[in-house]
Amino acid sequence: MKLKTLISEKRLKLRVKQLAKRISEDYKYEKDTHLLIVGILKGSVIFLSDLIRYMTIPCKIDFIALRSYDGTKTTGVVQHLLDLHESPVGKNILIVEDIIDTGYTLEYLKNNLLTRGPKSVKICVLLDKVDCRKVDIKIDYKGFTIPNKFVVGYGLDYNELYRNLPYIAVLEK
Ligand code: IMP
Ligand code: MG
């Protein structure tokens, strides 16, 4: 296995800061309620923890665990492994995810949260493999569009490895 840098640490930091600024601007008039940030475990944790430290609005964080991948292949079936602790009722929810590929994971979660009485549900993803999309889904905040390659680092894994790389790399055989 070989790692080839796709997005450097410096570019990631810059983009994450820009996203946090935009999100903070967009929600700043929501005075009577905080933003509920819902991270999808485990891939979103590094992105989410950097993102929230640049945000300037009140927010709470919570996590959901979903799985749709096995190695480098999507299975098409989304398993719901862990659910929210916070109530979604009446909240502005921002789903934070590492990467969107087919879109099945985010479609499943957005629809699931919408049935639970939130005020709004938006989506923030760091990486978008736009050529792989199987379902039409609106991405409200996006870090980077990337080619259809298997990537690791900054939270993303290959069989649970490489999550700790501080940059995004393409994993080549
Ligand atoms: P989707 O449901 O096909 O959109 O897949 C999204 C999920 O697949 C993400 O949450 C990731 O966990 C995983 N995934 C998709 N592409 C990659 C990749 O290139 N590297 C690591 N994980 C990926
Ligand atoms: Mg994921």
Side-chain angles (χ1 to χ4, degrees):
M1 296 284 193
K2 226 175 69 187
L3 295 171
K4 217 173 119 193
T5 305
L6 182 69
I7 306 168
S8 68
E9 212 175 332
K10 199 173 151 196
R11 280 182 69 207
L12 282 171
K13 189 172 175 176
L14 219 103
R15 190 71 185 124
V16 172
K17 262 190 192 173
Q18 289 172 343
L19 288 174
K21 200 172 160 202
R22 266 187 52 210
I23 294 166
S24 304
E25 277 294 313
D26 290 355
Y27 287 95
K28 77 175 173 194
Y29 298 109
E30 299 281 334
K31 291 280 184 241
D32 42 343
T33 171
H34 56 266
L35 182 62
L36 178 60
I37 298 188
V38 174
I40 306 182
L41 292 174
K42 306 173 195 166
S44 72
V45 293
I46 312 279
F47 173 41
L48 185 148
S49 53
D50 280 347
L51 186 75
I52 59 171
R53 278 178 288 176
Y54 294 123
M55 286 179 31
T56 53
I57 48 166
C59 62
K60 290 189 180 180
I61 60 172
D62 204 350
F63 295 95
I64 273 182
L66 301 174
R67 187 166 55 204
S68 65
Y69 256 63
D70 187 16
T72 59
K73 298 247 156 45
T74 179
T75 60
V77 181
V78 181
Q79 287 174 269
H80 201 139
L81 306 174
L82 174 84
D83 200 32
L84 294 176
H85 289 281
E86 296 287 331
S87 163
V89 178
K91 304 278 169 60
N92 286 313
I93 298 178
L94 182 65
I95 301 172
V96 173
E97 174 63 318
D98 51 357
I99 188 166
I100 177 163
D101 184 344
T102 60
Y104 290 139
T105 304
L106 283 168
E107 183 188 50
Y108 165 84
L109 184 57
K110 187 170 182 182
N111 288 338
N112 178 288
L113 292 174
L114 282 171
T115 63
R116 302 202 238 168
K119 184 171 178 196
S120 69
V121 180
K122 283 192 180 181
I123 293 175
C124 173
V125 295
L126 180 65
L127 307 173
D128 183 3
K129 284 186 187 174
V130 76
D131 297 336
C132 303
R133 198 79 83 258
K134 295 270 168 58
V135 287
D136 187 30
I137 180 159
K138 183 178 179 214
I139 306 297
D140 301 280
Y141 305 97
K142 183 203 295 199
F144 303 88
T145 299
I146 63 163
N148 182 15
K149 300 253 172 71
F150 194 81
V151 292
V152 295
Y154 201 67
L156 291 112
D157 74 307
Y158 170 65
N159 286 340
E160 297 300 324
L161 286 171
Y162 305 109
R163 290 194 199 276
N164 57 319
L165 284 182
Y167 56 94
I168 302 281
V170 175
L171 189 66
E172 292 174 342
K173 294 250 157 108

